[in-house]
Amino acid sequence: MATDTLPTRGHAAKRLSILDAGARAFCREGYAGANIDMIAAEAGVSRQTVYNHYGDKDKLFAAVVTEITQRCNARSFEVLASFPDQPTDLEKELTCFAERLIVNCLCDQDGKFLRKLIQREGERHPHLFASWRNDGPGKVWSALAARFARLAYAGYLDMENPDVAARQFLALVNAELQMPALFGEKLENDRLQETAACAVKTFLRAYRKREMHTKEPAHLESALRG
Amino acid sequence: MATDTLPTRGHAAKRLSILDAGARAFCREGYAGANIDMIAAEAGVSRQTVYNHYGDKDKLFAAVVTEITQRCNARSFEVLASFPDQPTDLEKELTCFAERLIVNCLCDQDGKFLRKLIQREGERHPHLFASWRNDGPGKVWSALAARFARLAYAGYLDMENPDVAARQFLALVNAELQMPALFGEKLENDRLQETAACAVKTFLRAYRKREMHTKEPAHLESALRG
DNA sequence: ATATTTTTGGACAGTCTTGTCTAATATGTC
DNA sequence: GACATATTAGACAAGACTGTCCAAAAATAT
């Protein structure tokens, strides 16, 4: 789990290793089901070391949540920064954006971990997830809504409520991912691309501005609508 | 939990009471976190009675899952039977259908219980959820897809892949429900209706047939699309 | 009213888990 | 090499939970 830039031996490395093992165990078994011996074994560390680093199970859990949350948020906003603000081919670029979203936020290790943790323990430890809610997806949603609003203003999209559109965009992107995510199946690359393409296609069918870019055939439009 | 038609005293009543208490406890605490004493107390029954009825914790869990699954499936197909096959006002009727879906399948006790159980223990007890997958949402999806295909054939909708459309429909309906569901918030009635309306509106913007009902202005269509 | 079934409360052994403690070992620093 | 710090394995007490057993009490049926 520890990437190349992170310490691979020594004190800090063990700390990280424990954190990652804790994340895996808590996700797989739930808070009650995961035990310290398991986590220590999975981290390749003695039980005492876990206690040395994190004090007790509750503190370890809290550390896991905040750490993974931070990683996820960082990734989310990184991906968000690549939103196509001045697209030349809107569908294509939005599809690529959706793919990045899926790969980096929805399907990556930390993302899956965090969603499972939230699903499993969200009700039980509401305070821990306040930051997730306020600084994580909540912010991603509104940031995404702002991007869509800009695209609408620039004449690419036609929507009344960018907030709703943003939530729907994410829902569509997630649509085909629900089942696999629930059962821990892995997603092949081409299925992923198809998912993104489907979602964006439907999103644009609903929200793409329907007037011509060149000329407004208003009479044809009204004839078709009437 | 036991409705009026079900026994409210005697042997069978206790059995049901235990089942419901088990469902609540397993959802709230997870399999490992829920303990028999808790369930017995919540069911208003002694611990021994739980063992008399269900043998052990594993069997109780299995019974909870299959029972709740059956209840949910029954409801799902009941709602599905009310799908507007010959709509006079498609948007209105589809919105009502979506509301029924939300109320009876997504937001009702059993539905919430089951989704939580799946999220919490799906990976851990894959065999238990096979039926959920095969007889539950899986069947609902394909049945819904068949309804959409019929609407498309009847000229109300315009879609290439009814399966994808069905999944997207459910995803859109769910879009605004994710957060509240995750944190156990309850949904006000007007927010629910707005959610359904939003989802259906977007769905129809994407998939409503754009040709006239009376005559096919094929040349105009191609001119507009080209 | 009596017989049968069900439920109850409590005791119980066995197991698992947490968190502490200790003495020995490893790791890294000066 | 000597020293400080981090880590290890293992023992340990305290508590929680499961699943069993049993005799008394309650509910139900005959």
Side-chain angles (χ1 to χ4, degrees):
Chain A
M1 197 71 25
T3 73
D4 324 58
T5 63
L6 297 170
T8 57
R9 54 178 198 226
H11 192 68
K14 304 221 179 222
R15 200 181 168 80
L16 252 185
S17 170
I18 294 168
L19 202 77
D20 283 326
R24 277 193 299 274
F26 284 131
C27 287
R28 208 174 45 237
E29 321 278 345
Y31 180 81
N35 60 356
I36 304 287
D37 289 308
M38 201 165 78
I39 293 171
E42 206 163 319
V45 141
S46 78
R47 180 177 56 248
Q48 187 56 49
T49 303
V50 176
Y51 284 105
N52 287 345
H53 275 283
Y54 290 102
D56 63 19
K57 195 181 179 181
D58 264 317
K59 293 205 192 75
L60 173 59
F61 183 71
V64 164
V65 173
T66 56
E67 169 65 23
I68 306 281
T69 298
Q70 280 173 0
R71 285 195 216 160
C72 280
N73 287 352
R75 263 173 193 274
S76 292
F77 283 96
E78 203 178 314
V79 170
L80 207 61
S82 75
F83 186 89
D85 283 308
Q86 283 112 19
T88 58
D89 181 344
L90 180 57
E91 179 160 354
K92 191 178 154 199
E93 291 177 47
L94 209 50
T95 302
C96 289
F97 174 75
E99 283 175 26
R100 282 193 294 276
L101 212 58
I102 294 174
V103 172
N104 290 312
C105 304
L106 276 15
C107 283
D108 83 307
Q109 283 295 58
D110 291 334
K112 283 196 280 190
F113 281 176
L114 192 54
R115 239 174 320 138
K116 283 239 175 97
L117 279 177
I118 300 267
Q119 288 170 349
R120 279 176 167 282
E121 312 294 340
E123 250 171 304
R124 214 157 180 27
H125 306 261
H127 58 289
L128 283 175
F129 296 101
S131 73
W132 180 80
R133 203 178 188 179
N134 296 331
D135 304 335
K139 280 227 171 134
V140 171
W141 286 354
S142 55
L144 189 59
R147 303 304 185 113
F148 280 136
R150 219 185 297 175
L151 279 189
Y153 184 74
Y156 295 98
L157 298 177
D158 187 8
M159 56 183 54
E160 302 81 54
N161 189 335
D163 278 298
V164 169
R167 269 197 291 276
Q168 290 180 335
F169 180 80
L170 290 172
L172 287 172
V173 168
N174 259 317
E176 317 267 331
L177 267 47
Q178 300 279 26
M179 266 298 186
L182 227 51
F183 288 91
E185 295 165 12
K186 66 181 169 195
L187 206 65
E188 288 88 14
N189 216 299
D190 49 349
R191 179 120 191 280
L192 183 157
Q193 291 184 342
E194 201 196 315
T195 295
C198 265
V200 169
K201 201 165 152 195
T202 298
F203 182 80
L204 288 182
R205 277 172 77 148
Y207 287 121
R208 174 169 252 153
K209 196 145 198 160
R210 302 212 161 270
E211 285 80 2
M212 300 293 89
H213 294 78
T214 51
K215 206 164 69 107
E216 293 268 345
H219 58 291
L220 292 187
E221 261 292 306
S222 62
L224 279 170
R225 295 251 161 124
Chain B
M1 194 75 16
T3 73
D4 324 57
T5 65
L6 296 170
T8 56
R9 54 176 198 227
H11 191 67
K14 304 223 180 225
R15 200 182 168 80
L16 252 185
S17 170
I18 294 167
L19 201 77
D20 282 328
R24 278 194 298 274
F26 284 132
C27 287
R28 208 175 46 238
E29 320 279 345
Y31 180 81
N35 63 350
I36 303 287
D37 289 308
M38 201 164 79
I39 293 171
E42 207 163 321
V45 141
S46 77
R47 180 176 56 248
Q48 185 56 47
T49 302
V50 176
Y51 284 104
N52 287 346
H53 276 283
Y54 291 102
D56 62 20
K57 193 180 180 181
D58 263 317
K59 293 204 192 75
L60 173 59
F61 183 72
V64 164
V65 173
T66 57
E67 169 65 23
I68 305 281
T69 298
Q70 279 172 1
R71 282 194 218 160
C72 281
N73 287 352
R75 264 171 192 274
S76 291
F77 283 98
E78 201 178 315
V79 169
L80 207 60
S82 75
F83 186 87
D85 283 308
Q86 283 111 19
T88 58
D89 182 341
L90 180 57
E91 178 159 354
K92 191 179 155 199
E93 291 177 45
L94 209 51
T95 302
C96 287
F97 175 74
E99 283 174 26
R100 282 193 295 276
L101 212 59
I102 293 174
V103 172
N104 290 311
C105 304
L106 277 14
C107 283
D108 83 307
Q109 284 293 57
D110 291 334
K112 282 196 281 192
F113 280 176
L114 193 53
R115 238 171 322 135
K116 282 240 176 96
L117 278 177
I118 301 267
Q119 287 170 349
R120 279 177 167 280
E121 312 293 340
E123 251 172 303
R124 212 156 181 27
H125 306 262
H127 58 289
L128 283 177
F129 296 101
S131 73
W132 181 82
R133 202 178 187 178
N134 296 331
D135 305 334
K139 279 222 172 142
V140 171
W141 286 356
S142 54
L144 190 60
R147 302 305 184 113
F148 280 136
R150 220 185 297 176
L151 279 189
Y153 183 73
Y156 294 97
L157 298 178
D158 186 10
M159 55 184 54
E160 302 82 54
N161 188 334
D163 279 297
V164 169
R167 269 197 290 277
Q168 289 180 335
F169 180 79
L170 290 173
L172 287 173
V173 168
N174 259 318
E176 316 267 331
L177 266 48
Q178 300 279 26
M179 264 299 184
L182 226 52
F183 287 92
E185 295 165 12
K186 66 180 170 192
L187 206 65
E188 288 89 11
N189 215 299
D190 50 349
R191 181 120 189 276
L192 184 157
Q193 292 184 342
E194 201 196 316
T195 295
C198 265
V200 170
K201 201 165 154 196
T202 298
F203 183 79
L204 288 182
R205 278 173 77 148
Y207 286 122
R208 172 168 255 155
K209 192 146 200 162
R210 304 207 167 273
E211 284 82 2
M212 302 292 89
H213 295 77
T214 52
K215 206 165 70 111
E216 291 271 345
H219 59 290
L220 290 187
E221 259 294 304
S222 63
L224 278 171
R225 296 249 161 127

